Amino acid sequence: MREKLIRLRRGVAVISTIIAFWATPIEAFQVVGAEWEKEIVWYYSPQNQPSALSQDRIIQAMIFATLRWEGVCNVKFRYGGISDKRYAISDLGDGISVLSWHTFTSDLAPFSAAAGWVQLGNTIVEADVFLNTQAPLPPYEMGGLLTHEVGHMLGINHSDQPFYVMSAAPYQSFKFQRTLRGDDVKACQSLYGPSQNQKVERIFNWAEASYPWFQPEGQISQKNNEYTFRHYPTTGSYMGEKDGSLYVLGNEFIL
């Protein structure tokens, strides 16, 4: 197990740190019963960041994670910049959504990350992601971890099914977590509705999870004048969509 969830309701006593795995689901996915009603602006605090890691690569991994979720549901994130405040986990509730580093102790020590959110009634007004300085990850794995944590920022709890990004029993590998699956999409869309281009994004996600040409690294979609596409530098492969048709390009596809 690699993370903990922390929930705080304004006007109510702080609820103790919990592992948010809820039994007897109505759906396979679980949501917290609250959602954002506006654009989600987040900041990065480099205080305590392990020196071996690149600040730019960490920010890039977080942006990658938010774009993955934006691709399939009608939600919008915006990176607000660097925060020079020295954050403590107890600062959850200050009204600012922050990605920050901490030395986890006691019951948090085994985990790579913790996620927490603040809600007013059924509205999420803040969500923070805390990274463990004792368990730093390379950027490639960080992208998978943060894709999972951004799901929590959106108000999604752990799925009780084993083969999704939001699974926790067991957790999937960080490589696996870079690509959203069907249950993850259903959870997000149950809160925010589908994105305009969600059908194409879901086909891309399925192909990425199923075929080695589009691995090992998951990618986000790009657009030019005619195509929506993803490029996989490791294999030199592309997949794209234009006018309802799907295209693939790369040496592997030459017959």
Side-chain angles (χ1 to χ4, degrees):
M1 304 186 63
R2 299 171 301 180
E3 52 152 7
K4 283 232 174 176
L5 296 186
I6 306 166
R7 177 169 55 181
L8 175 63
R9 295 179 185 271
R10 289 271 180 85
V12 183
V14 176
I15 300 175
S16 60
T17 303
I18 59 171
I19 300 174
F21 176 77
W22 297 30
T24 60
I26 297 175
E27 298 281 354
F29 61 81
Q30 297 288 294
V31 294
V32 303
E35 62 192 79
W36 293 86
E37 293 184 350
K38 59 181 181 180
E39 180 183 54
I40 305 165
V41 181
W42 63 276
Y43 297 84
Y44 178 61
S45 173
Q47 300 288 339
N48 303 318
Q49 175 190 303
S51 59
L53 298 180
S54 160
Q55 175 176 295
D56 290 343
R57 294 294 295 275
I58 295 167
I59 294 170
Q60 182 183 41
M62 183 64 171
I63 292 173
F64 170 100
T66 61
L67 289 173
R68 279 296 202 177
W69 290 99
E70 286 184 16
V72 296
C73 57
N74 186 26
V75 65
K76 183 65 177 175
F77 288 86
R78 177 166 56 88
Y79 171 51
I82 296 293
S83 173
D84 58 5
K85 177 181 176 180
R86 185 176 293 276
Y87 283 87
I89 293 178
S90 59
D91 287 329
L92 178 63
D94 65 357
I96 303 173
S97 297
V98 178
L99 173 66
S100 57
W101 291 91
H102 306 269
T103 300
F104 288 5
T105 58
S106 303
D107 60 331
L108 284 177
F111 300 94
S112 296
W117 67 91
V118 179
Q119 61 187 78
L120 279 172
N122 294 326
T123 302
I124 299 174
V125 295
E126 177 194 342
D128 295 343
V129 174
F130 312 105
L131 300 173
N132 188 356
T133 60
Q134 304 302 305
L137 299 173
Y140 172 74
E141 293 188 345
M142 184 71 72
L145 173 66
L146 291 176
T147 300
H148 180 101
E149 299 305 329
V150 170
H152 291 317
M153 290 181 73
L154 288 170
I156 304 170
N157 272 327
H158 290 139
S159 173
D160 73 343
Q161 301 298 305
F163 302 114
Y164 300 103
V165 168
M166 299 309 296
S167 299
Y171 286 99
Q172 297 295 331
S173 71
F174 296 122
K175 172 184 174 181
F176 182 99
Q177 289 181 344
R178 288 175 67 91
T179 302
L180 298 175
R181 270 70 174 181
D183 194 61
D184 308 308
V185 175
K186 287 193 295 183
C188 191
Q189 291 185 355
S190 76
L191 294 170
Y192 303 101
S195 68
Q196 184 175 2
N197 207 37
Q198 64 100 17
K199 290 183 179 179
V200 172
E201 292 293 323
R202 296 187 71 173
I203 291 171
F204 284 180
N205 288 344
W206 168 80
E208 189 172 277
S210 302
Y211 294 99
W213 311 299
F214 309 124
Q215 299 171 9
E217 75 279 24
Q219 296 294 332
I220 58 173
S221 298
Q222 306 175 59
K223 290 188 176 183
N224 62 19
N225 293 333
E226 297 182 335
Y227 292 90
T228 299
F229 68 96
R230 292 184 188 176
H231 175 221
Y232 299 83
T234 300
T235 61
S237 301
Y238 292 80
M239 59 178 164
E241 181 272 341
K242 177 185 176 184
D243 299 330
S245 295
L246 184 66
Y247 300 86
V248 292
L249 175 65
N251 293 333
E252 295 83 358
F253 308 109
I254 298 175
L255 300 180

